[in-house]
Amino acid sequence: MLDQFTIATKGGVVLWSKAYAPIDNCPVDSLVQDVLIQSNRLDNSSISNKYHSGAYTLQWTFANELNVMFVAVYQKILQLPYLEELLRHVKKHFVARFQQEIKMLLDPECTEFPDFNDFEQEFEQVWRAVEDRESRERMAGKQGGAPRKFEDTKKFQTTAKGARLELEELAQASEMDLSRKQGVTMRSFRERSSTPTSDAKDAAAAGKKGKKGKKAKENRVWDGQATKESMQALDYSGEKSGELEGSHAVSALVDERAKGVRTADGIYEVADVAERSVGASGDSGGFVLLGDSASDDENNDGKSGGSGGGMFGIFKSLTGGRVLTADILAEPMARMREHLANKNVAADVAEEICQTVARGMVGVRVGGLQNIRRLVEQSMETALTRILTPVSSTDIIRDIEHAQLQHRPYTMAFVGVNGVGKSTNLSKVCYWLLQNNKRVLIAACDTFRSGAVEQLRVHVRNLRALSESNQNVEIFERGYGKDSAAIAKDAIAFGAANAFDVVLIDTAGRMQDNEPLMRALAKLVSVNSPDKIMFVGEALVGNEAVDQLQKFNQAMRDFSGQSKPRHIDGIILTKFDTIDDRVGAALSMTYTTGQPIIFVGTGQTYTDLRKMNVGQVIRALLRA
């Protein structure tokens, strides 16, 4: 149950407030004083924040374009999982309804305070709707689905039938390798395992006669089980792994065409991501809304196919000296939202961007098609550039040199969900650091996934082969099942004692809803306080990117136990070479966190690391 909900400016001027219980020493004043004024902690994202004051917890979010904050106050002992959703919806409704009044209030010449009192009824409606949705989802989760079949459980695998099916799947996957090793197919191997052949019977009979007539005991072969010899043939670990090392040439580990360049200061910089080809249409990569010439616009206005073919034509009806209003712009903005969604931009992000662009166009009198073209171009370019332009430093080399002056290693933690390529892109970053003559220690803190430590060993071996000295890169490992926070702490201490310039911390992949693993991540960050927390995400995701980033940041806040918890500092966008011009994930991630995309992964070699060019992303987003 809420005790209070307050809407105020960042300067502390209350616009609207609703109290549901008496509160002594209003904690909102403490929030403004301790967090916003003294700490200057202004969140540039749409993620809500938490602040504790006495017996109360305050959760808030910002409407940055209007300098307005929305604060919910409730008892600290309560758990209100729907609050983040409530804050987000209240912000949308309040801004949509009172945008002009807020802008008037921010005007230095304003002498009259606008009235926001009639927002109470709308707030109650939003609150009830959010609570009802949360209740329905909770009840649906309790009811669950149909029970699993016995064949889908782990217990089934312990039965004879389950073991046989599991072996057959393994055998089918390894059939070609086993045939090369043993000179027989897996089919014949399974036949021998289930029923003895005539040759095996003859050999057994000869063995019996050779032992003075004593009957030799035959090893029983259970149906579906593999023999010791067959398991040894399938085992590629240990000394056999050396057979594979020589087959990979060092030249295959890098792509010479993808190498970066060295500046005049000798710093190795990765190249910009290549401009996407635009297909057979012949478009030069300009804005969809602009076109190359007036004649081109006239030819394209009548086209209705494709996401961008009609993007400019939707504004043709707005000519004739009309003053643009929200109603007039509703349909064109809906088409623009659809276009951005087709480019993989998250739905909520596309909605808010289009609202921002529409607000900038309301009240403008348009006198012709060219004026609309310039207006839309300027509005979209300004909005997207503001989102994608880094607001913090992305010069990691300079930050490393600053840490060296303090006689300590610079630490970077790589976090993200399962399967996005954290270890692979960590090794790419390591290669980039080695090219800048930095000594790198890789901390194997993924103690959860089998093979994670071995994977890093392979990367270290490859990077040593590409480096001038074998001492420039090492791995720090403590095996599996250990506390990852303690391993990272020991690795940083080892790096400081052995003059390493950088410590790269590899963490386990974890889904954003896995609370035990998210608590472990928050502990690792709190204990070791890395200089840079890099979120590794896929360029293939859309709405999921927003959910992942919000919950990673939320977990590091909720589980840290610190008054000033950390959050994600930068993003590495992987698999960027697989998406054509659907680069919306870059926009969604940057918009959600307010943090820059440091690198872009574009391939499988160590040189496939790029810098993201803001202009190229904007052109790709608005291209047909």
Side-chain angles (χ1 to χ4, degrees), residues 237-451:
S237 61
E239 296 179 357
K240 294 183 180 181
S241 61
E243 300 174 4
L244 301 177
E245 294 181 14
S247 61
H248 295 287
V250 175
S251 59
L253 302 176
V254 297
D255 185 354
E256 295 294 335
R257 299 169 299 177
K259 279 191 173 182
V261 295
R262 292 196 178 274
T263 64
D265 299 332
I267 296 177
Y268 176 83
E269 291 186 348
V270 297
D272 286 347
V273 64
E275 183 79 46
R276 292 285 186 271
S277 61
V278 295
S281 63
D283 188 3
S284 61
F287 287 91
V288 171
L289 300 175
L290 296 180
D292 295 331
S293 64
S295 60
D296 291 338
D297 296 332
E298 294 172 0
N299 294 333
N300 291 332
D301 285 345
K303 298 179 182 179
S304 59
S307 62
M311 280 294 292
F312 183 73
I314 60 179
F315 292 96
K316 189 173 182 179
S317 61
L318 305 183
T319 59
R322 302 180 65 179
V323 176
L324 299 181
T325 64
D327 293 337
I328 293 176
L329 290 171
E331 182 180 354
M333 288 301 109
R335 293 283 296 276
M336 189 175 293
R337 282 194 300 272
E338 181 183 357
H339 176 79
L340 292 177
N342 290 335
K343 295 292 186 177
N344 223 19
V345 179
D348 290 346
V349 176
E351 172 72 23
E352 296 189 25
I353 291 174
C354 289
Q355 287 182 0
T356 301
V357 173
R359 285 194 294 268
M361 298 172 63
V362 169
V364 176
R365 181 180 296 275
V366 292
L369 200 57
Q370 295 295 329
N371 291 339
I372 298 176
R373 216 171 31 240
R374 288 193 293 269
L375 176 61
V376 176
E377 173 191 1
Q378 182 179 3
S379 299
M380 285 301 297
E381 185 175 5
T382 300
L384 297 178
T385 302
R386 184 174 63 249
I387 294 170
L388 292 169
T389 300
V391 295
S392 59
S393 173
T394 59
D395 191 348
I396 296 178
I397 297 298
R398 186 192 64 181
D399 295 339
I400 293 173
E401 293 173 350
H402 180 71
Q404 288 175 322
L405 296 177
Q406 301 175 356
H407 305 288
R408 65 174 182 86
Y410 184 84
T411 56
M412 297 175 63
F414 292 74
V415 304
V417 300
N418 310 75
V420 296
K422 289 183 300 300
S423 301
T424 301
N425 284 274
L426 178 148
S427 64
K428 294 179 183 179
V429 173
C430 182
Y431 176 82
W432 168 65
L433 293 171
L434 292 174
Q435 297 303 305
N436 284 291
N437 301 318
K438 306 299 180 185
R439 291 195 69 211
V440 183
L441 179 67
I442 298 178
C445 296
D446 184 354
T447 62
F448 186 76
R449 174 174 65 91
S450 291

Side-chain angles (χ1 to χ4, degrees), residues 413-416 484 507 510 516-526 533 552 555-556:
F414 292 74
V415 304
S484 58
T507 65
R510 63 203 78 210
L517 287 179
M518 295 306 293
R519 286 184 179 274
L521 175 62
K523 178 182 177 182
L524 185 148
V525 171
S526 301
I533 302 175
F552 266 77
M556 285 190 285

